[in-house]
Amino acid sequence: TKNRYYSFDQVFYIDAINELRTLDFSLEEIRSIFNSLKTVNVENVYEKKINEIDMKLEMLNKIKNRIEHRYSFFKSMEIEENIPSTLKNYSNIRLKKIDKRPIVCVNSTSLIDAETFIKTHNQLQNVILLNKLNTSPPCIVVYFDEYAQCLDVETNFDLCKSVVIPDNFESADYFKIIPQGLYATIIFNGARKESLENYFTLLKWIEKNNLEIIGPVIKLYHVDGFHTTNPLECVGELQIQVKEKC
């Protein structure tokens, strides 16, 4: 007949192999179990698999936390729907209602150039790694002095990244909150020259639409010098918190 007959021992091994495969054991791992059925050897294989799964779970949880953080961040950045009809419209300018943003940051007072940016970025990365913080891009710079002059004179600024506040959170100088509110925003391509041009465009838009600036200039580096060597391929976003004038 075409039927295949198995002995009891063969059925046992087939069932055991199928079960181990459903538990994500590789054929090599299964072979090592059957080649040495001493209890201590089998325990070692299972222990190794448990440790492997624990590492995968830890990695997946970190990925999940980062995705959840980015999801909540983008969900909070909704374009304000109740914008007065009198607002003058620009294609690359938006008025956004943004939720509060926890950030990890490093403060500096210096000239804003490539050397300073790299040095401060490295300091920020050291803080992130030392404290095992879960952050997400893009890099954010909060300018506390006049933005139009910040590229020519020493400027006080925070270099930041959005962060998931840890469960064992303790107050620290490097943790801050960017407040929730309405933000006039503009996205642009380019570097220094284009940044200033779009800054003045955004100021004019704010003034024309009877809005009052109530916060510092915030710049998001969506694509920066770490991603491209061509300044015109950089993508930045300026955000300024505003409110309607009384």
Side-chain angles (χ1 to χ4, degrees):
T1 66
K2 292 184 180 181
N3 295 328
R4 180 176 293 180
Y5 293 94
Y6 296 96
S7 67
F8 177 81
D9 289 341
Q10 288 175 316
V11 171
F12 168 78
Y13 277 110
I14 291 172
D15 286 344
I17 291 171
N18 287 335
E19 181 184 6
L20 290 170
R21 289 295 288 160
T22 62
L23 297 176
D24 200 33
F25 281 87
S26 68
L27 292 176
E28 183 178 347
E29 289 169 329
I30 294 171
R31 190 178 296 112
S32 67
I33 292 175
F34 288 135
N35 285 344
S36 180
L37 290 175
K38 290 182 180 179
T39 301
V40 64
N41 292 333
V42 175
E43 286 179 354
N44 288 338
V45 175
Y46 276 98
E47 184 178 7
K48 182 180 178 182
K49 176 58 68 174
I50 290 171
N51 292 334
E52 179 185 316
I53 292 172
D54 284 339
M55 290 178 63
K56 287 182 179 179
L57 287 173
E58 183 179 358
M59 181 184 67
L60 288 171
N61 276 326
K62 287 181 179 179
I63 293 173
K64 178 174 178 284
N65 287 337
R66 292 192 67 180
I67 292 173
E68 286 179 341
H69 179 62
R70 297 209 66 172
Y71 169 74
S72 61
F73 175 73
F74 283 108
K75 186 178 180 182
S76 70
M77 293 182 60
E78 298 173 352
I79 297 175
E80 176 59 30
E81 295 179 351
N82 299 316
I83 299 176
S85 58
T86 55
L87 289 184
K88 309 296 187 300
N89 184 41
Y90 288 67
S91 60
N92 57 342
I93 294 179
R94 295 288 185 273
L95 189 62
K96 299 178 181 178
K97 181 163 61 176
I98 305 178
D99 200 358
K100 64 180 181 180
R101 289 171 276 180
I103 54 173
V104 55
C105 61
V106 171
N107 182 262
S108 179
T109 300
S110 58
L111 288 172
I112 305 294
D113 54 25
E115 183 179 349
T116 298
F117 193 89
I118 292 172
K119 179 182 177 181
T120 311
H121 184 271
N122 289 339
Q123 292 173 348
L124 178 62
Q125 286 301 112
N126 287 337
V127 171
I128 293 169
L129 293 174
L130 182 64
N131 295 279
K132 299 179 179 179
L133 299 175
N134 188 4
T135 63
S136 61
C139 278
I140 303 170
V141 180
V142 181
Y143 294 91
F144 299 109
D145 296 323
E146 171 54 43
Y147 186 73
Q149 300 176 359
C150 72
L151 300 176
D152 300 311
V153 299
E154 287 196 346
T155 301
N156 183 247
F157 66 93
D158 281 342
L159 180 64
C160 332
K161 278 192 175 182
S162 296
V163 65
V164 176
I165 300 296
D167 294 333
N168 57 346
F169 167 73
E170 295 182 6
S171 179
D173 292 339
Y174 50 79
F175 280 132
K176 293 185 180 180
I177 300 288
I178 297 178
Q180 66 179 8
L182 286 178
Y183 287 81
T185 71
I186 187 168
I187 295 179
F188 60 92
N189 287 93
R192 174 180 176 137
K193 177 185 175 183
E194 292 77 17
S195 174
L196 286 176
E197 289 175 352
N198 281 273
Y199 169 66
F200 290 123
T201 298
L202 187 59
L203 289 185
K204 290 178 183 178
W205 184 88
I206 291 171
E207 181 63 29
K208 284 183 179 180
N209 290 289
N210 199 37
L211 298 171
E212 179 182 350
I213 296 174
I214 59 173
V217 175
I218 300 171
K219 184 175 180 181
L220 281 67
Y221 290 81
H222 295 292
V223 178
D224 56 29
F226 291 105
H227 302 96
T228 178
T229 57
N230 183 355
L232 295 179
E233 292 179 352
C234 292
V235 179
E237 178 179 356
L238 296 176
Q239 300 180 345
I240 303 177
Q241 189 175 11
V242 295
K243 69 175 183 178
E244 288 190 54
K245 288 183 179 179
C246 300

